[in-house]
Structure formats: C-alpha cells, structure tokens
C-alpha cells in the first residue's frame, strides 16, 4: 500500500527495550514493532511510516508533520495527537485521538 522509498530501519522482533543510540536522522520508514519498548526517542521530520505496535509504550513522542501511516495498537497508549499528513491509522479502541485529519482512514 505504501512504497518503501527512502531510508528504512527495521528493528522489529529484537526484544529491544530502547531505541536510544540508534541514528534516526533522515529515516522515512521505522519498523520497531514486537519489542519491549516503553518509549520512543524524538522522531525525525522525514518520517512517513511508523510501525510501533506490540510494545509497552504508554505515550508517543511528538509525531512529525510528514507522518502518513501510524500503526500503534497493542500498547498502553491513552492519547494521540495526529499530524496533518496522516492518512492511515491502526490503533486500539479507547485511545483519545486529537487533531483528526480529513483524509484519515481509521482501521
């Protein structure tokens, strides 16, 4: 559905507890699902796709305006403020969603 153009970092299924020390500069696609992450570092302004589902996150950092796709289900997130470019969101029921863009498809 979304082409993987640009710098992609795949860190899924590695039992990580942190992304500290990982250079996210210029990253377009970040896959960090199925780990034990409790927080995410600041995200780069180039990010278009973030898959962070199935972790232990309780909140997300500020999402860059460039973000188009967010998959964050199976966490403990209570609230998300969405960026204007977002077109696809997969999250859990019960999350308070702020700033819903008109073009958003919620799955």
């Amino acid at each position: 559905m979304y082409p993987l153009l640009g710098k992609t970092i795949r860190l899924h299924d590695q039992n990580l507890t942190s992304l500290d020390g990982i250079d996210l500069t210029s990253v377009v696609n970040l896959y960090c699902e199925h780990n034990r992450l409790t927080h995410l570092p600041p995200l780069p302004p180039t990010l278009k796709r973030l898959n962070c589902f199935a972790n232990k996150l309780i909140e997300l950092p500020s999402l860059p305006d460039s973000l188009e796709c967010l998959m964050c289900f199976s966490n403990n997130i209570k609230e998300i403020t969405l960026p204007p470019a977002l077109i696809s969101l997969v999250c859990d029921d019960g999350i308070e969603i702020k700033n819903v863009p008109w073009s958003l498809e919620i799955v």
Side-chain angles (χ1 to χ4, degrees), residues 3-99:
L4 297 178
L5 303 173
K7 185 175 178 183
T8 297
I9 294 183
R10 298 177 191 275
L11 299 168
H12 51 83
D13 299 300
Q14 295 187 28
N15 207 29
L16 298 173
T17 57
S18 173
L19 298 183
D20 294 344
I22 295 172
D23 183 9
L24 298 179
T25 306
S26 303
V27 169
V28 175
N29 306 291
L30 177 57
Y31 296 90
C32 57
E33 67 270 16
H34 290 282
N35 282 295
R36 296 184 302 132
L37 301 172
T38 57
H39 72 282
L40 294 177
L43 300 171
T46 53
L47 194 65
K48 291 190 177 286
R49 181 181 190 106
L50 174 59
N51 287 14
C52 60
F53 59 89
N55 276 290
K56 297 180 181 216
L57 300 171
I58 57 171
E59 63 183 4
L60 294 176
S62 179
L63 299 173
D65 287 346
S66 60
L67 194 67
E68 295 177 354
C69 180
L70 173 61
M71 298 180 74
C72 61
F73 60 92
S74 294
N75 280 291
N76 296 312
I77 299 167
K78 302 293 181 216
E79 177 181 294
I80 302 173
T81 300
L82 300 179
L86 200 71
I87 55 176
S88 181
L89 172 65
V90 183
C91 64
D92 294 315
D93 290 340
I95 294 178
E96 181 180 349
I97 298 174
K98 298 181 177 182
N99 297 338

